[in-house]
Amino acid sequence: MSRQTPLWISLGLFCAPPLLMLLIAPLLTNPLASHLLKLKEEELIAYQAERSRMLDHALPSQLSRFRFDCGPEDMALLRSPEYYNRHIRFAALQPAKGTGCSTLGPQWPLVPEVEIPGSSDFHLTSTPPRFDTERETLISARRNGNLAYWVLDSSWSHELLRTPCQGCFYLEFNHRDPALAGLFFPRGNQQIRQEANPISRVNVDHQHQVEQSLWAGQALRQYAASRIRHYGLPLSLLLGLGLVLTYWLLRNYRNSLDGLLRLAMRRGEFIPFYQPIVDSRSHEVVGHEALIRWRRNDSFVPPGAFIDYVERQGLIVPITEQLVRQVVADLERLPPPQWVSVNLVAAHVEHSYLDALLHRLRWPDPDRLTFELTERIPITDMQRAAREIANLGLRGYHFKIDDFGTGYGGFAYLQRLGIRRIKIDKMFVDTIGTQDLKRSVLDAIIAFGRESGMEMIAEGVESQEQIDYLAERGVYLIQGYAFARPMPIAELVHWQPPVKAAEAMRASGA
Ligand code: C2E
Ligand code: CA
Ligand code: CA
């Protein structure tokens, strides 16, 4: 991936939501306009329901309390806030005898210029057309020749129709009762009816026999489109930003050691290299140590760069499993009785991880698959580890103490874990031929090993001098650059230990 690629990806992620938004915005306009129309209808219905509830209760109650003399009680009743509220524009009384009165005041009779039947029922009609003004609902009732009437306030419908945009709605009330067929109230922007594709919603109030039709057209669509731009653009930019942020977080995670290691595990990038262990007396290969390598692109990363982290993060168990599976497969290509030794950490035997793994692998041949347990990481649950090792010992598996003398357990480990093989660390081998104080530790380890009948392998052996020194003290199993470096299986199967000098001389007839 070029260094520019993440920047291009980020730019793409950032621009994608706004571009997508611009593309789909026209498709969203109609649904949003329909939704706004529905909301408006609901708002209107809710308002009317409240108004009907008020009128149905207030008008009969007020009517029954009128004395029809336009005296102080009638005036108080006319103007009582209980009855004279935002739903009533105007109310008036016309007594059978005498001057009328109204909410405007006594002596302010306003004779409705409409025909009102003589029955005592509530009668519904509209105010007469005057100039160009809108007609409004007029309710009237008669009692003993007296007349009361109310003009309903229709300004609410204008107010409601003005939001959320001017001229976006047209509302029509039609009375379905044939007797009131002439009652028809148009409100709002009437031009919408002449448009090509208006949308509408019709609602029927069966109780009052009123049909309400609400219409909308181009103006509402334009408003919807502007809302989509208004909210959609910043939102999609925010989404783009979120995507870019997520991308970088994921990228950083994948580039972090943890992310890289988990990815490597999924991709099977951990493979074993093998370092032969040679008997210095015969130059025969007795076995090999499996040493993990991380194959990255074309290079092999040695464990020093990641193994501590892997062990601390608890990734070592699944990674060892990957490694052991490959070792078991590679053993087929190595001549018996050569074995391969795999590095373990305490966790493998403090739990049943190793046992479970070998179980899953159907118990590979214990003479060919062996283990070494490092002293570098202390064993905390010694009892459990001893039990696990003993159980696996019953199945024939062998363990070595690795890095012997460098860590925590040393002799105690050997004793408590019942282990009879040690690997003498390079740190001590390096002291051969020097005056380093640790050389006496090397001598002590070797003396201890011989006396207690331990099998000893010296690791990190680089020179003939070291081989000879160790051989003089009875340590013959040698692992180190003196014989071979760790190598992949493909190389190992062709590798031959160097012929012993004595044999070479004999072969040449000297
Ligand atoms: P170790 O177990 O002590 O392995 C021996 C290390 O010494 C190996 O390093 C090996 O390449 C190196 N070595 C062997 N002979 C010589 C020599 O003559 N000269 C020099 N200079 N070095 C020599 P490597 O492969 O880098 O491994 C380092 C450590 O990583 C190992 O030390 C072991 O503790 C750990 N390790 C390796 N593979 C695994 C694994 O699969 N699991 C676990 N848990 N640890 C591993
Ligand atoms: Ca080792
Ligand atoms: Ca070592």
Side-chain angles (χ1 to χ4, degrees):
M1 201 192 289
S2 99
R3 292 183 63 183
Q4 302 291 319
T5 318
L7 287 178
W8 284 114
I9 292 178
S10 306
L11 192 70
L13 285 173
F14 183 69
C15 294
L19 285 177
L20 201 73
M21 218 292 295
L22 289 177
L23 273 176
I24 62 168
L27 302 176
L28 296 177
T29 308
N30 276 338
L32 180 60
S34 300
H35 179 67
L36 290 172
L37 186 74
K38 182 165 169 273
L39 287 183
K40 184 51 64 185
E41 182 192 38
E42 284 166 6
E43 198 183 355
L44 289 167
I45 290 172
Y47 190 93
Q48 285 169 92
E50 189 219 312
R51 191 178 74 145
S52 295
R53 257 196 318 277
M54 180 265 155
L55 294 176
D56 290 351
H57 164 78
L59 298 194
S61 144
Q62 195 184 22
L63 184 67
S64 68
R65 292 170 68 187
F66 280 136
R67 297 164 67 113
F68 289 103
D69 58 4
C70 278
E73 276 116 354
D74 275 354
M75 277 315 297
L77 211 51
L78 274 170
R79 285 181 173 174
S80 153
E82 198 184 331
Y83 305 113
Y84 188 37
N85 53 34
R86 64 196 164 108
H87 299 295
I88 306 285
R89 183 187 297 289
F90 169 77
L93 295 180
Q94 185 57 56
K97 290 189 200 98
T99 331
C101 53
S102 72
T103 43
L104 298 178
Q107 315 292 325
W108 279 78
L110 288 169
V111 182
E113 298 169 22
V114 287
E115 209 173 299
I116 290 174
S119 84
S120 62
D121 274 347
F122 280 95
H123 176 73
L124 210 63
T125 180
S126 79
T127 52
R130 277 255 169 223
F131 308 111
D132 232 1
T133 56
E134 227 163 38
R135 300 174 70 179
E136 292 187 305
T137 310
L138 189 146
I139 300 173
S140 57
R142 285 195 189 278
R143 283 285 180 281
N144 311 320
N146 304 305
L147 173 70
Y149 64 95
W150 299 263
V151 175
L152 301 190
D153 192 332
S154 68
S155 56
W156 63 275
S157 60
H158 295 289
E159 271 159 36
L160 291 191
L161 293 181
R162 254 205 302 273
T163 57
C165 50
Q166 291 267 16
C168 284
F169 298 103
Y170 169 63
L171 178 68
E172 231 175 60
F173 293 108
N174 276 300
H175 283 265
R176 292 181 131 199
D177 184 346
L180 301 168
L183 275 186
F184 159 80
F185 300 98
R187 299 280 187 261
N189 180 1
Q190 300 200 31
Q191 278 163 11
I192 290 172
R193 289 298 305 268
Q194 268 86 59
E195 282 182 22
N197 298 308
I199 46 175
S200 67
R201 295 186 69 90
V202 177
N203 179 268
V204 180
D205 173 355
H206 291 282
Q207 192 196 343
H208 300 97
Q209 293 262 9
V210 179
E211 183 182 283
Q212 167 196 295
S213 313
L214 183 64
W215 304 74
Q218 218 33 49
L220 188 64
R221 285 197 189 93
Q222 271 165 16
Y223 173 76
S226 81
R227 285 303 83 180
I228 291 170
R229 277 195 304 277
H230 186 87
Y231 290 109
L233 217 58
L235 269 179
S236 59
L237 286 174
L238 226 67
L239 187 67
L241 213 66
L243 285 177
V244 172
L245 220 71
T246 314
Y247 167 72
W248 280 97
L249 282 176
L250 272 176
R251 219 183 106 81
N252 279 350
Y253 170 71
R254 283 182 57 156
N255 283 347
S256 72
L257 191 53
D258 202 71
L260 282 174
L261 287 169
R262 286 177 197 275
L263 192 68
M265 215 163 70
R266 280 202 300 280
R267 290 182 176 163
E269 287 176 355
F270 295 108
I271 60 157
F273 268 33
Y274 296 95
Q275 188 176 29
I277 294 156
V278 177
D279 187 324
S280 64
R281 291 166 298 188
S282 60
H283 281 205
E284 254 177 71
V285 178
V286 294
H288 312 267
E289 179 176 0
L291 293 158
I292 198 166
R293 294 292 180 270
W294 178 2
R295 186 175 42 210
R296 294 207 72 196
N297 304 321
D298 289 331
S299 63
F300 294 98
V301 183
F306 60 89
I307 203 78
D308 274 351
Y309 187 81
V310 161
E311 285 170 355
R312 266 186 282 121
Q313 295 299 308
L315 286 170
I316 190 66
V317 171
I319 287 180
T320 303
E321 171 153 0
Q322 282 193 355
L323 205 75
V324 171
R325 284 177 184 278
Q326 295 175 73
V327 166
V328 169
D330 289 346
L331 272 171
E332 304 271 320
R333 303 175 64 185
L334 297 173
Q338 289 179 16
W339 42 258
V340 171
S341 182
V342 170
N343 288 283
L344 297 182
V345 291
H348 280 109
V349 288
E350 281 175 330
H351 306 272
S352 296
Y353 295 141
L354 182 62
D355 186 87
L357 169 60
L358 293 172
H359 182 79
R360 281 198 291 280
L361 292 172
R362 306 217 175 127
W363 309 108
D365 183 354
D367 287 333
R368 306 210 61 208
L369 179 66
T370 78
F371 303 97
E372 46 197 76
L373 185 59
T374 183
E375 260 194 40
R376 276 184 300 117
I377 302 177
I379 294 174
T380 42
D381 190 347
M382 188 57 89
Q383 272 188 342
R384 178 78 188 269
R387 212 166 53 234
E388 287 290 321
I389 287 175
N391 280 339
L392 290 166
L394 290 176
R395 289 189 174 268
Y397 290 102
H398 300 296
F399 293 81
K400 299 181 264 302
I401 293 292
D402 198 3
D403 308 320
F404 188 77
T406 64
Y408 299 84
F411 300 100
Y413 276 21
L414 291 174
Q415 219 171 27
R416 298 185 65 182
L417 301 175
I419 291 176
R420 312 215 38 82
R421 294 171 165 82
I422 54 178
K423 290 189 83 172
I424 302 170
D425 193 71
K426 179 172 185 301
M427 180 208 279
F428 302 112
V429 173
D430 280 345
T431 63
I432 295 171
T434 69
Q435 296 305 310
D436 194 320
L437 273 179
K438 282 201 294 295
R439 217 190 67 208
S440 54
V441 181
L442 171 70
D443 294 342
I445 290 173
I446 295 173
F448 159 79
R450 279 183 59 190
E451 265 164 45
S452 46
M454 294 278 163
E455 182 185 292
M456 289 180 278
I457 298 173
E459 79 181 2
V461 180
E462 293 182 340
S463 69
Q464 189 59 44
E465 186 195 354
Q466 290 170 338
I467 296 176
D468 293 342
Y469 184 96
L470 292 161
E472 278 162 25
R473 286 156 185 79
V475 178
Y476 305 111
L477 299 183
I478 303 297
Q479 178 185 349
Y481 294 176
F483 284 112
R485 287 174 180 257
M487 59 190 116
I489 184 72
E491 217 174 288
L492 181 69
V493 290
H494 301 298
W495 184 81
Q496 293 287 338
V499 180
K500 267 200 88 171
E503 276 167 22
M505 272 164 66
R506 225 179 297 134
S508 67

